[in-house]
Amino acid sequence: MTGHILIVEDEDKIAAILRDYLAREGYAAHRLRRGDEVLPWLRENPADLVLLDLMLPGLSGLEICRALRKPGSASSAAIIITTARVEEVDRLLGLELGADDYICKPFSPREVVARVKAVLRRTRPPAAQEEMASASGLMLVPSRWQAAWRGRDLGLTAIEFRLLKQLADQPGQIFSRDQLMDAMHGGDRIVSDRTVDSHIKKIRRKIAEVAPGVELIRSMYGVGYKYEPRGTEAM
Ligand code: CA
């Protein structure tokens, strides 16, 4: 596997061809048809790069681009805009909004694959550089939302990863549910703060599965949570 690509394209034929070519090159490609599906999907799924059509039902590609490049957005995926609109103004606006490249339709799928490779080479740091051990034993890889304890993958969802990373980045510091909610959702809240508790519960269960007896997150009654490894294996 060489990367996760999200194809946002409302035309079935184009989407199918892109998916086919990317899969042949070893990419995991997922396709969404509507613009308004993109941000919710990226909150839950990893993507290294988004192939983004501009004219989409629900939400336009330029609006998606703008939302993705806001600080604290759902994803830091690279963006290649694909569109039949050839106006210079759209091209410039897309790049101004933070797109990494631009491809005009009609395009050859081979050209798209070549651009995808080039953009990923440019934008994706080698995993080794990016891995961060935030405390003894815990390894976090932000671009893949991967968390491992002593080499054993915890299998966290994107939201669980953001929650654990927020805590582990500052061991010992107490975070309120409010602060953790912001870390989880990048400011746009749609859920109650009880969901913090349920995500913490799931993270704890996943840690217990790979490292019985180890606790990483401590509840501070009435205040919030903090990262504090405990247990025999954690010492
Ligand atoms: Ca379209």
Side-chain angles (χ1 to χ4, degrees), residues 26-234:
Y27 294 102
H30 184 85
R31 185 259 179 131
L32 294 175
R33 191 177 273 108
R34 295 182 54 87
D36 47 7
E37 295 170 332
V38 175
L39 299 173
W41 192 87
L42 284 172
R43 273 186 210 112
E44 303 293 332
N45 299 278
D48 298 299
L49 186 144
V50 182
L51 276 173
L52 185 62
D53 186 20
L54 285 190
M55 300 285 272
L56 292 162
L59 192 65
S60 84
L62 287 178
E63 287 172 275
I64 293 166
C65 202
R66 186 179 285 127
L68 283 179
R69 287 299 176 258
K70 269 204 313 213
S73 90
S75 170
S76 58
I79 300 169
I80 298 179
I81 288 174
T82 64
T83 184
R85 294 166 71 186
V86 290
E87 290 95 323
E88 185 75 353
V89 62
D90 281 340
R91 189 173 73 85
L92 292 176
L93 191 52
L95 295 174
E96 213 166 274
L97 287 175
D100 297 280
D101 204 354
Y102 184 92
I103 305 172
C104 279
K105 291 174 185 170
F107 45 65
S108 87
R110 262 183 208 120
E111 185 198 349
V112 175
V113 169
R115 299 278 196 102
V116 164
K117 280 186 185 165
V119 167
L120 285 179
R121 250 198 320 269
R122 210 171 66 214
T123 58
R124 204 165 46 163
Q129 259 177 38
E130 192 207 15
E131 281 176 6
M132 39 167 283
S134 52
S136 62
L138 182 69
M139 182 80 84
L140 301 171
V141 186
S143 68
R144 271 175 251 144
W145 298 339
Q146 196 184 7
W149 177 259
R150 304 252 155 107
R152 282 160 292 177
D153 187 42
L154 297 179
L156 301 187
T157 65
I159 281 184
E160 290 161 5
F161 177 86
R162 282 200 283 272
L163 197 48
L164 180 59
K165 184 174 183 305
Q166 179 72 28
L167 290 162
D169 279 350
Q170 283 158 285
Q173 171 159 344
I174 301 168
F175 289 94
S176 69
R177 288 188 176 80
D178 243 29
Q179 291 171 314
L180 293 173
M181 294 267 292
D182 282 344
M184 280 157 58
H185 297 288
D188 48 87
R189 306 229 196 129
I190 32 169
V191 287
S192 86
D193 64 359
R194 289 288 116 191
T195 58
V196 171
D197 300 350
S198 83
H199 287 302
I200 295 271
K201 206 182 276 178
K202 284 182 205 149
I203 295 170
R204 283 179 168 152
R205 200 178 307 140
K206 288 175 178 179
I207 292 164
E209 272 167 30
V210 305
V214 171
E215 286 176 41
L216 301 183
I217 301 168
R218 187 161 171 192
S219 308
M220 306 306 289
Y221 186 73
V223 190
Y225 295 97
K226 68 175 176 177
Y227 182 83
E228 189 184 270
R230 284 180 300 168
T232 46
E233 215 195 344

